[in-house]
Amino acid sequence: QLQLVESGGGLVQPGGSLRLSCAASGFTNPSGFTNVIGWFRQAPGKEREGISFINRSGSLANYADSVRGRFTISRDNAKNTVYLQMNSLKPEDTAIYYCAQTSHWTLRPEFYRGWGQGTQVTVSS
């Protein structure tokens, strides 16, 4: 029943960087922020796409081929926050970005719960 909130999106030029944050809602007990956290994105007219996920301790992570080498996921459990550092941004990265949690090792969105409202990332000159 964990509810997450995304922030940090905005407008950036191609080649630029942004850092997104995913944090437990102020109305949710932060002690529940202990599971796998995933980042997803959805562009207009397209299905939701898994980007990256990170394990409970932050020692392991996986990435989609489209972002590997450009994006880095990390977490700070003391702050109840997961981050997504986005470098070398491309116009095709434009989307609404979401986070959610699961107890499984997967980027399939049907296994995730506690979705936030998303944060808009726009990459354009």
Side-chain angles (χ1 to χ4, degrees):
Q1 297 181 344
L2 178 66
Q3 183 67 50
L4 302 175
V5 178
E6 304 91 346
S7 63
L11 175 64
V12 64
Q13 295 186 84
S17 298
L18 286 172
R19 189 181 74 163
L20 306 184
S21 297
C22 172
S25 168
F27 299 104
T28 302
N29 187 345
S31 65
F33 194 72
T34 57
N35 295 311
V36 171
I37 302 294
W39 280 102
F40 302 79
R41 66 187 181 188
Q42 189 163 22
K46 302 200 69 175
E47 295 182 341
R48 187 165 295 184
E49 173 191 14
I51 301 167
S52 180
F53 58 104
I54 189 167
N55 72 341
R56 182 186 182 99
S57 68
S59 62
L60 293 173
N62 280 357
Y63 299 89
D65 290 342
S66 59
V67 306
R68 186 175 290 110
R70 300 188 297 119
F71 292 7
T72 303
I73 191 171
S74 62
R75 70 189 298 165
D76 186 341
N77 289 335
K79 297 181 178 180
N80 301 303
T81 303
V82 171
Y83 304 98
L84 185 68
Q85 180 66 46
M86 309 166 67
N87 298 327
S88 302
L89 284 163
K90 305 174 181 179
E92 50 263 47
D93 295 319
T94 296
I96 301 175
Y97 284 70
Y98 301 88
C99 64
Q101 70 90 30
T102 187
S103 297
H104 303 277
W105 190 242
T106 181
L107 260 182
R108 297 176 61 183
E110 59 265 38
F111 288 91
Y112 282 76
R113 306 183 74 176
W115 298 93
Q117 296 300 306
T119 186
Q120 177 71 50
V121 172
T122 302
V123 184
S124 176
S125 60

